[in-house]
Amino acid sequence: MARRTKEQSEQTRKTLIDTSFRLFCERGYSKTTLEEIAAASGVTRGALYWHFKGKEDILVTIFNEQTKWLTDELSSTVPDGMTMSQAIKGFILKFIGPEGGAGTTAVRDRFGVLCVTMLFSHKIAPQLVYEMLAGIDRRLCERLSELIRRGQASGEFSSHINPADAAKFIKLSIDGVIINRLGNSIAGKKFGMYPESIAGMVIGSLKGPAP
């Protein structure tokens, strides 16, 4: 009985998260009320408060769940014997590559929808989201800069390249692919480039001398 109650509680929490995600994307964070979330989830407002302190707590939970694969990746170590080219290529494909691994297409696209809807449309999210995304961006660029510096030290990448600038370039390339892919998906079109090709061009730019 206790196990069933726990499972029901977990299912209610998941329903609240999924419903909140949908409503935030459809109506915007500021225009979505707790009453609407509870009603659309088929639960009472009291049940909602059992799981979450409020609307901001729900948003933070959604963000953390959608970025867990990314924070895990940022904290991982490069396996012995792996080149920096392989490490960076694998890193890029976690964002834009085919399904598989921690950052599956479904998870990445759900996170992408959250970011694009809340940050690049009129449905603005609170400052908290901007701050959390800025933190992720900073760690992502730091991680890429570290890998590029290691590649330069081993002679794999050009010493003329500024690691911090190159990291920002890679990050912006990833952002562009995600936004383009989501836009094409909404329009019923396919993204016209293969992830492997994009990753290959990025790695090639690190190996050649800066103009």
Side-chain angles (χ1 to χ4, degrees), residues 144-202:
L144 287 169
S145 294
E146 174 200 353
L147 297 177
I148 293 169
R149 284 193 296 270
R150 290 174 61 179
Q152 288 176 321
S154 66
E156 193 175 346
F157 299 145
S158 171
S159 60
H160 298 289
I161 293 173
N162 182 296
D165 289 343
K168 291 176 183 177
F169 167 74
I170 296 173
K171 194 269 174 186
L172 289 172
S173 298
I174 291 172
D175 288 348
V177 171
I178 292 174
I179 294 171
N180 193 295
R181 184 174 62 194
L182 286 171
N184 284 342
S185 177
I186 293 172
K189 301 178 181 179
K190 290 185 177 181
F191 184 63
M193 294 187 71
Y194 291 102
E196 291 276 350
S197 298
I198 296 172
M201 286 188 286
V202 169

Side-chain angles (χ1 to χ4, degrees), residues 13-203:
R13 183 178 183 277
K14 182 179 183 302
T15 299
L16 286 166
I17 291 173
D18 290 344
T19 301
S20 298
F21 178 87
R22 176 175 60 80
L23 292 177
F24 290 164
C25 289
E26 290 177 355
R27 306 181 186 179
Y29 176 85
S30 61
K31 293 183 179 180
T32 301
T33 67
L34 290 174
E35 288 80 3
E36 290 172 333
I37 293 173
S41 300
V43 303
T44 64
R45 183 162 175 170
L48 186 153
Y49 275 117
W50 175 261
H51 293 277
F52 301 101
K53 297 176 183 177
K55 192 165 67 170
E56 185 174 283
D57 189 26
I58 298 175
L59 181 62
V60 171
T61 299
I62 292 173
F63 186 91
N64 288 338
E65 289 191 355
Q66 298 307 311
T67 58
K68 185 181 184 304
W69 67 272
L70 175 55
T71 54
D72 289 346
E73 179 68 21
L74 291 171
S75 302
S76 66
T77 58
V78 178
D80 292 339
M82 177 178 285
T83 66
M84 293 305 103
S85 292
Q86 292 171 330
I88 293 176
K89 181 179 180 179
F91 192 87
I92 293 171
L93 292 179
K94 281 288 179 69
F95 286 88
I96 66 172
E99 292 195 26
T104 63
T105 298
V107 173
R108 286 195 314 267
D109 284 356
R110 185 176 166 93
F111 175 56
V113 168
L114 176 68
C115 295
V116 172
T117 301
M118 293 195 169
L119 300 182
F120 301 105
S121 76
H122 64 284
K123 302 169 184 177
I124 303 299
Q127 184 65 27
L128 176 64
V129 173
Y130 290 91
E131 293 172 355
M132 290 190 294
L133 281 175
I136 290 288
D137 284 352
R138 183 177 62 255
R139 290 185 59 197
L140 193 155
C141 287
E142 289 173 351
R143 173 67 164 170
L144 287 169
S145 294
E146 174 200 353
L147 297 177
I148 293 169
R149 284 193 296 270
R150 290 174 61 179
Q152 288 176 321
S154 66
E156 193 175 346
F157 299 145
S158 171
S159 60
H160 298 289
I161 293 173
N162 182 296
D165 289 343
K168 291 176 183 177
F169 167 74
I170 296 173
K171 194 269 174 186
L172 289 172
S173 298
I174 291 172
D175 288 348
V177 171
I178 292 174
I179 294 171
N180 193 295
R181 184 174 62 194
L182 286 171
N184 284 342
S185 177
I186 293 172
K189 301 178 181 179
K190 290 185 177 181
F191 184 63
M193 294 187 71
Y194 291 102
E196 291 276 350
S197 298
I198 296 172
M201 286 188 286
V202 169
I203 298 302

